[in-house]
Amino acid sequence: MSMCAWATYHYGRWSYEPEYGWFWVPGDTWAPAWVKWRRGGERTGWAPIAPDARGFAYGAPKRYEAPVAESWVVVEDRYISAPDLGMRVEPISRIGPWLEDDPREYDPVYRDGAMMTRFVEVGAFAGVAATPVVTRQMVYVDRYNEEFIAPNGTYIGIYRPFVARGPAVAPPRYSREIAPDRRVVITQYVRTDGPGLSAPSAALLAVLGLQQRQDLRAARWEGDGQAYQRDLQRFRQSERGELEQRWSQSERNAQAFEQERTRAIHQREQAQQNVFQQRQQRADQVIQRLQRERPDALPATAPAGTPAATPAQSPGPEAPKPEVPNPRPPAGAPSSPQAVPAPPAGGPGGPGERPAPPPPNAVPPAAARPDAPPPPAAPPPGAPRPDSPPGAARPDRAVPPPP
């Protein structure tokens, strides 16, 4: 995970433009992961939440939808907490049939200025997952190099810097052109028009003109879901010929793509293992320091490693979403327990008219997927893909880390 990952994984949104690739939009609200979950057909999937307005992402989104269909990361339930999760991700060709079955949705909950990821109930995986899903208490640490994973399964330390509230000062404008061969673009596509496909395929965006894509994005932001779906269907029909060509090319390249994805996963395994071991080794030292200096930073825990469900894990009804977010508590404040799958052996686990480039070394949501070349530093489960993607995952799909 790069030094920029704490921002790109926990703040803002990820989106996709065919001429630019994956890009990150900054935001002001922290979340364990800006993702939504779906489950059905003995499979569970997650995808990054796309921007729903122009520019900076304030507070909670009005809609919880993926930027493109290919950003879904899907695994069989039995592998949801597997140490080699990256190797278990379903090929992109299987996302379409899964979405057509319209699996149950789990949108995040926004309450009192904080975003809570609504994970599938832990009990749903009892007797199904080969590796038990462990409940951990999140502890906020003040420095990135203090992130830790308690070996006994009680705490996981996450870097959450305190952002002081005050007069907004605009930073100097920064512009950086990304060479076309370094842009992370999607070349493996979802092929379906099923009911669960609420986001367009990257193949459709690739064959539309710039003005058509801008009009489609504007319709999405206006919030008229029915009109937006009508526009999508109209474009799918009018561009059917070019779509068929892209789908056929994608199918011809699928085998080579999977081979490269597997190679990339093995290539970064050691780096991820090193990060995981370092975070385990520093756990006792960081916990002892917090107990001395900020005892309230350590919430009460269930017995070590208990895979029990908590209120935060239950989908339940969503709370009303305030118009304006309230300031979040400073770093170190106790947090609600979150259901966190046992970390993989490789490490803990995914606009305006012209989107701004991501920060240097930022890893796109796809970096959370396993099917792409390794990023500069070890990301969460998954990684950006080699053919050009949360953030990490495979090159053409976003895989944000599990909450």
Side-chain angles (χ1 to χ4, degrees), residues 29-73:
T29 303
W30 187 93
W34 279 93
V35 299
K36 67 179 298 176
W37 294 80
R38 300 189 73 168
R39 182 171 184 260
E42 300 181 345
R43 284 165 172 76
T44 297
W46 61 96
I49 297 172
D52 64 345
R54 183 185 305 278
F56 196 83
Y58 290 98
K62 294 185 286 291
R63 286 166 296 284
Y64 297 92
E65 298 297 344
V68 287
E70 291 77 7
S71 43
W72 280 98
V73 184

Side-chain angles (χ1 to χ4, degrees), residues 208-229:
L208 295 179
L210 175 62
Q211 188 59 54
Q212 290 174 309
R213 295 198 303 271
Q214 290 178 343
D215 291 345
L216 190 61
R217 184 168 59 224
R220 185 177 190 172
W221 288 348
E222 287 173 1
D224 188 338
Q226 293 183 344
Y228 174 66
Q229 290 299 324

